[in-house]
Amino acid sequence: MTLPLSELRGPVRALFSDVDGTMTTGDRIEASTYEALERLGEAGIPVIMVTGRPAGFGQAFMKMTPVLAVVSENGGVTFVRNGRKLEKLYGVPQASLPEWRRRMNDTAVEVMSKVPGARLSSDSKYREVDLAIDWNEEASLSRDDAELCVDMIRRAGFTAVRSSVHVNFGPPHFDKLSACKTVIRQVLKGNVDDLAPYCFVGDALNDAPMFGGLPTSVGVANVKHWWDELAHKPAYLTEHAEGRGLRELIAHLMSLRTNR
Ligand SMILES: [Mg+2]
C-alpha cells in the first residue's frame, strides 16, 4: 500500500533520485530544486542521481552538480569518484560491449522499420551500454506503439524498459537497483541486506525495480500517469509533481533530521 509522504519516518542516510520528471520540471532543473539538492548534501545526506540518460550525461552531471555518484543508462554505467579521478563501473563486462552494440543496432533498425515514427533517441550517440528508442521526447508514439517496441526488443533477447520519454534497451542482467546496490556497498560503505536507510524517488516505469527493491521508495505525484502499468508501486507518494515533488521530499527529509 502506498502512503502519503508524511508517513515516511526515516532515518535516511542517502537520497537516490531519478532525473527526468523527478528532478526536472518541464525538462529543466529549477533553481530552487538545485538549491534544495545542495542543501541536502550539505546537511549530510548525499544525493545520487539514478537515470536512464547516457553515460555522456552522467560524466557531465558528475563534474558539474552537487552529487556523490551517478547511475546512468538505467544501471549500465555508474560514475563514482576515486580521489581526483572519475571511475566508471559497468553493468556488463566492458569487453562484451562492441558485440552487444552490433546486435542492438540491428534490432533498432528492425524496430524502426516496423513501428512508424520510432527512431533512436537523439542522446543515443552518447551511450556506452544501452540504446534508446525515442517514443515521447522528440517523437510522439502512442503508448501501445511504445509497448510494441518493448515487445520486439525483448523478443530479440534484450532487456527493455520504458521511461517517460524513451524505451531503453540493452544487454540483460542489470538495472537501476543492481547499480544502486553497488553504490551503497562501494561508496556509502552500507549493508545491502538493510536497504531501509536509502531513499529512492522516481516517476516512471523504469523506476519500478527501485520501487520494488527499496523499502523507502517515493513517487513524485506525476508517477500516477503510469500507476496501473507499474509492476511495483512506491511506498510513499508526494503531493506535488516533478521538481516540486522532489523539493517536498527534501524538505521532509530535512525536517526528519532536525526532529531527530
Ligand atoms: Mg523519470
Side-chain angles (χ1 to χ4, degrees):
M1 193 180 67
T2 300
L3 299 169
L5 176 64
S6 55
E7 298 293 318
L8 194 167
R9 300 275 183 249
V12 166
R13 262 187 240 147
L15 176 62
F16 291 78
S17 177
D18 171 56
V19 178
D20 285 82
T22 302
M23 227 174 249
T24 61
T25 303
D27 291 343
R28 306 247 165 120
I29 300 178
E30 293 172 306
S32 51
T33 304
Y34 197 93
E35 197 193 350
L37 291 166
E38 270 183 344
R39 274 205 316 269
L40 189 68
E42 285 161 9
I45 301 181
V47 177
I48 296 98
M49 281 182 175
V50 188
T51 180
R53 291 290 182 178
F57 282 39
Q59 167 128 359
F61 289 150
M62 239 359 226
K63 289 276 184 188
M64 295 179 174
T65 71
V67 296
L68 183 69
V70 178
V71 172
S72 65
E73 302 191 15
N74 284 315
V77 187
T78 298
F79 291 84
V80 300
R81 282 179 227 285
N82 183 358
R84 295 180 63 202
K85 281 200 211 143
L86 291 188
E87 199 179 318
K88 281 192 281 187
L89 310 171
Y90 288 88
V92 291
Q94 229 182 317
S96 68
L97 291 176
E99 172 60 15
W100 279 116
R101 178 52 54 107
R102 190 188 60 71
R103 291 173 51 193
M104 286 158 65
N105 279 332
D106 290 349
T107 299
V109 167
E110 198 196 334
V111 168
M112 290 186 283
S113 73
K114 299 217 170 117
V115 183
R119 59 174 113 142
L120 276 178
S121 66
S122 57
D123 67 12
S124 276
K125 55 166 76 77
Y126 313 114
R127 294 179 179 275
E128 290 196 45
V129 173
D130 74 355
L131 282 177
I133 302 286
D134 180 353
W135 77 275
N136 195 30
E137 188 172 44
E138 294 165 27
S140 48
L141 301 187
S142 66
R143 281 191 202 189
D144 284 351
D145 278 351
E147 278 306 305
L148 190 59
C149 298
V150 169
D151 285 346
M152 286 179 68
I153 291 165
R154 285 187 181 155
R155 270 188 275 116
F158 302 100
T159 55
V161 282
R162 174 156 64 92
S163 74
S164 56
V165 291
H166 296 158
V167 173
N168 294 81
F169 69 105
H173 306 312
F174 65 83
D175 59 20
K176 282 186 167 185
L177 181 62
S178 57
C180 287
K181 284 183 177 173
T182 302
V183 172
I184 290 169
R185 253 192 324 260
Q186 290 199 20
V187 182
L188 299 169
K189 310 294 179 202
N191 175 4
V192 291
D193 296 324
D194 176 19
L195 294 171
Y198 305 101
C199 180
F200 171 75
V201 57
D203 77 303
L205 299 179
N206 60 332
D207 298 317
M210 296 295 284
F211 293 148
L214 291 197
T216 311
S217 64
V218 180
V220 283
N222 41 308
V223 73
K224 285 184 275 187
H225 287 304
W226 329 101
W227 196 253
D228 294 337
E229 294 178 83
L230 267 180
H232 303 280
K233 319 283 192 223
Y236 305 94
L237 200 56
T238 65
E239 234 171 86
H240 300 291
E242 298 186 293
R244 196 173 169 199
L246 175 60
R247 297 197 297 273
E248 180 189 337
L249 169 61
I250 290 175
H252 183 71
L253 296 180
M254 297 288 271
S255 77
L256 290 179
R257 279 189 92 263
T258 45
N259 295 339
R260 201 158 54 185

